[in-house]
Amino acid sequence: MEKRYAIILAAGKGTRMKSKLYKVLHPVAGKPMVEHIIERVIETKPEQIVTIVGYGAEKVKEQLGDRSEYALQEKQLGTGHAVLQAAEFLKDKTGTTLVISGDTPLLTSQTLDNLFAYHQGKNASATVLTAHAEDPTGYGRIVRDHVGIVEKIVEQKDANEQEAAIQEINTGTYCFDNEELFNALAKIGTSNAQGEYYLTDIIEILKNEGKTVAAYQTADFNESLGVNDRVALAKANELMRERINHQHMVAGVSLIDPKTTYIDADVQIGADTVIEPNVQLRGTTVIGEDCLIGANSKIVNSTLESNVEIKTSVVEESVVRAFADVGPYAHLRPKADVGQHVHIGNFVEVKKATIGEHTKVGHLTYVGDATLGKDINVGCGVVFVNYDGKNKHHTTVGDHVFIGSSTNIIAPVEIESDSVTAAGSTITDNIKKGDLAIARARQVNKTGYASHLPF
Ligand code: UD1
Ligand code: CA
């Protein structure tokens, strides 16, 4: 196979986004657009990837890391000028160079492979990836001659009426013979409506030199959506969501209402898991088989083993082990580790705490900075008092402990196995194995006193 190279265009500011965040870093399905691009590009197995950076260069580099080399485009003089910046890395290499924009996140590696194959099959100097658009507004138009051979690409702002009516658009993705690319780039001018160096002019330049130029039209226009503003960003998210949801359903996950199910690109879900409406599964979340994720839950960067049930709850950076159930209205904050068969009930908050198997934390309780053993019953309204205003302190609770309702556990404290705290206790001292701790004032009844009160 011929050597492949790739150039990712990511130097533009994205003026039309009207944003402090650089355009290619805006997320689609929870991931920056340019991240989608580099992942697809890597799947085509290039020898080298050069990303053109300018606005937000440091942030883009931070995102892509050492998966790419970088060429700085100091002034954004157009897409042709941008590609030229890769010359120092690629100029004299032999092979095929893919040029792709950082703002077309829906393109698939299958389509890119098809483009490479078509380009090679035609033995072309340049092949542009095109699509048929119902509404071509904003895109460059593909001008073909009477027998259908590509002549040039005309930008919207430079198009005459006849050209503007063309519905075949430039996706901004191309394969080039690498040497021809850099030869032709030197010949691009700026005599156009925007006064920019248009990469698109290369097609006409090569054509006039008698070189073979080709256009490969992909069937699905949606894949080529270019995100220039927030309207297109929302559309890209919608289309990506449909694609992701479809993939999960085909793989055996039930989505009760796919239209209101938001699953980020890297989330994994096991078969026979059921996802109710209005659920958000974010980041690097991994969910096992046979789980139920109840309506309105949000799960972020967390791992759920199999047979877990989450009812209308928020789970962040936590682990929930097999057969555990959580909620409704529970909040697992970072570093909660909920053991097998654990029950976390309503209005329970857990943070940085490990909870052993079969333990129950049923109602209105805060567990923070704690290690709990197995088979513990935590009553209603228990507070693990972990913060003294300055520092956080840890609580350890052994197996088979019964924590009475409304117990305050003032950390640091250790409660050994098989012990009990009386309801309403404020525990400040360690409790030995098998002991009962009572820490509350005795009740006093004042006979008949109620009638003396002013109400
Ligand atoms: C471009 C194409 C258009 C095509 C469309 C597809 C040109 C002249 N036009 O238009 O034919 O239909 O993409 O989405 O190529 N960039 C740089 N440096 C620059 C200018 C742009 O790196 O100096 C980068 C941008 O960050 C962006 C990409 O190139 O990722 C495309 O630029 P953009 O301004 O979005 O081009 P379009 O107007 O969409
Ligand atoms: Ca664009």
Side-chain angles (χ1 to χ4, degrees), residues 16 23 101 103-104 226-228:
R16 291 164 280 184
K23 177 165 76 170
S101 291
D103 65 351
T104 50
V227 175
N228 293 328

Side-chain angles (χ1 to χ4, degrees), residues 44-261:
T44 69
K45 303 196 167 60
E47 299 279 313
Q48 239 178 308
I49 300 173
V50 180
T51 302
I52 314 302
V53 292
Y55 278 100
E58 287 315 310
K59 293 264 189 282
V60 175
K61 285 185 190 177
E62 205 177 291
Q63 177 64 40
L64 303 182
D66 60 9
R67 292 173 292 175
S68 175
E69 296 172 282
Y70 301 94
L72 183 68
Q73 185 193 24
E74 278 175 30
K75 280 203 179 120
Q76 281 58 54
L77 303 178
T79 48
H81 179 259
V83 174
L84 193 57
Q85 309 310 306
E88 55 174 311
F89 295 92
L90 297 176
K91 199 174 188 314
D92 300 317
K93 308 232 159 152
T94 314
T96 304
T97 299
L98 172 75
V99 175
I100 189 166
S101 291
D103 65 351
T104 50
L106 289 142
L107 283 168
T108 61
S109 48
Q110 182 61 59
T111 297
L112 300 181
D113 276 336
N114 293 348
L115 174 65
F116 272 110
Y118 191 89
H119 175 76
Q120 244 149 0
K122 290 277 171 191
N123 208 4
S125 296
T127 305
V128 54
L129 179 68
T130 76
H132 176 88
E134 273 314 307
D135 175 11
T137 309
Y139 293 93
R141 310 295 206 279
I142 306 296
V143 181
R144 294 181 186 254
D145 67 13
H146 60 285
V147 288
I149 294 170
V150 190
E151 287 193 313
K152 58 179 176 176
I153 302 172
V154 180
E155 290 305 295
Q156 162 114 10
K157 287 184 178 151
D158 302 291
N160 61 37
E161 209 176 313
Q162 210 182 351
E163 289 161 342
I166 296 171
Q167 286 182 294
E168 185 178 19
I169 60 99
N170 169 23
T171 66
T173 318
Y174 322 77
C175 274
F176 294 102
D177 172 274
N178 188 67
E179 287 151 305
E180 301 276 17
L181 168 64
F182 288 99
N183 285 338
L185 275 175
K187 297 168 191 161
I188 291 179
T190 56
S191 51
N192 53 57
Q194 303 186 78
E196 287 184 359
Y197 294 93
Y198 287 168
L199 177 60
T200 44
D201 284 354
I202 278 200
I203 299 295
E204 194 177 9
I205 290 169
L206 289 171
K207 171 96 182 168
N208 289 343
E209 288 178 354
K211 306 273 162 55
T212 306
V213 294
Y216 168 67
Q217 184 172 330
T218 183
D220 182 8
F221 167 74
N222 284 341
E223 261 195 44
S224 54
L225 182 74
V227 175
N228 293 328
D229 60 22
R230 310 261 185 167
V231 177
L233 181 66
K235 185 74 189 163
N237 269 292
E238 182 190 329
L239 292 168
M240 189 66 91
R241 188 163 84 233
E242 280 173 13
R243 185 189 291 175
I244 290 168
N245 288 355
H246 182 86
Q247 284 164 355
H248 286 295
M249 289 187 281
V250 168
V253 179
S254 283
L255 307 187
I256 303 300
D257 182 15
K259 285 203 168 51
T260 64
T261 305

